[in-house]
Amino acid sequence: MNRALPSAGTTETRPLWRTALATATAGACLALYGAAPQAAVADTLQATVQAESMAKSGGCTSTDSTRAVYYCNNDSTSTSYAFPQAGRYSITVAGASSQNNTAGISVYVGSAKVAALTFTGTSYTRQSAVFDIASAGSQEIRLKLETDNGQNDTYVDYFELAYQGPTPAAPPPPSRRTRAPTPAAPTATCSRRWTRPSPTRPSPPSSPPTGTPSSPAPTTPNASTTRPAPTATARWRTSRTPATATCAPKA
Ligand SMILES: [Ca+2]
């Protein structure tokens, strides 16, 4: 199974038993399937540097026959290393805390801090980080205590440098999705008008026939003819209907 490359500056615990387990698993896969599993990151060990051989600086740093001890903040040990080529490297530091808690050490390559490693407990563990080198050449590698709070001291036995390969290409920035241009939202001018149907006025009574000698007898106005019952359309006050609201984009 492929193992994703960690980004530069990340740390990783790599206990020895995991290496043994991985080797045994790879052997089992080879026996079962007759094919070699894909290799993990092929670190090529470049150098192993004993902490006690590094140059000391800071106010309290000490070394003994097997390790360097960092007591106070800014205690450090350093060495120069000639990187043979540009690319991604890993550094693995074997260290421990003087107490049953967590102690730390920072790793600088040149002026860049590439890792802040931690070691929990008094047993030595190996902590790793990766970093990128832009071009071949000598760089200072410094292990520096920056997390001292009086609870412990940091022990470092050694560190290893390994070459992993070319620096992976940076992931492309997230692409902007191409979307059809969205028309500007029209600012709707909505009007809601009430339309009033024109009342149909009743027709006036027909004129009496002309030319007749007799004058029309006065008649009692007949309500049925002079005041016709209002038609439904005439009763607009109670039957008005709303017109459809019209919305038009604002010019
Ligand atoms: Ca040592």
Side-chain angles (χ1 to χ4, degrees):
M1 189 168 62
N2 284 326
R3 177 182 145 211
L5 280 174
S7 59
T10 56
T11 63
E12 176 185 26
T13 302
R14 190 180 295 173
L16 293 174
W17 65 266
R18 291 184 62 180
T19 302
L21 179 60
T23 303
T25 304
C29 290
L30 186 61
L32 285 172
Y33 302 110
Q38 284 188 303
V41 177
D43 290 12
T44 303
L45 183 62
Q46 303 288 302
T48 299
V49 177
Q50 298 296 327
E52 61 271 22
S53 70
M54 300 171 73
K56 295 184 293 184
S57 62
C60 319
T61 313
S62 73
T63 55
D64 59 24
S65 60
T66 62
R67 66 190 179 191
V69 183
Y70 311 80
Y71 294 97
C72 315
N73 282 329
N74 295 321
D75 281 0
S76 68
T77 57
S78 62
T79 190
S80 179
Y81 180 73
F83 289 90
Q85 59 187 320
R88 177 156 289 186
Y89 290 80
S90 68
I91 183 168
T92 301
V93 179
S97 170
S98 63
Q99 303 296 324
N100 226 0
N101 49 26
T102 299
I105 202 78
S106 300
V107 179
Y108 286 79
V109 177
S111 59
K113 181 177 179 178
V114 301
L117 305 178
T118 55
F119 308 94
T120 300
T122 56
S123 297
Y124 280 84
T125 58
R126 290 159 52 88
Q127 307 292 335
S128 296
V130 297
F131 58 95
D132 297 311
I133 293 292
S135 59
S138 292
Q139 299 255 24
E140 180 191 74
I141 297 176
R142 182 176 294 275
L143 306 180
K144 184 178 182 181
L145 179 59
E146 296 180 307
T147 56
D148 178 51
N149 58 6
Q151 301 294 309
N152 51 48
D153 305 315
T154 303
Y155 300 150
V156 172
D157 185 351
Y158 62 89
F159 73 83
E160 292 176 347
L161 273 180
Y163 176 70
Q164 291 193 340
T167 299
S175 61
R176 295 179 179 176
R177 287 191 297 176
T178 304
R179 287 189 288 183
T182 304
T187 304
T189 301
C190 301
S191 62
R192 186 176 180 87
R193 295 177 301 168
W194 293 93
T195 57
R196 184 174 65 183
S198 300
T200 303
R201 296 181 180 279
S203 301
S206 59
S207 301
T210 58
T212 52
S214 57
S215 59
T219 56
T220 302
N222 190 332
S224 64
T225 57
T226 59
R227 297 181 63 184
T231 62
T233 53
R235 299 169 63 189
W236 57 270
R237 288 185 183 278
T238 55
S239 65
R240 59 184 178 179
T241 55
T244 304
T246 57
C247 300
K250 195 172 187 178

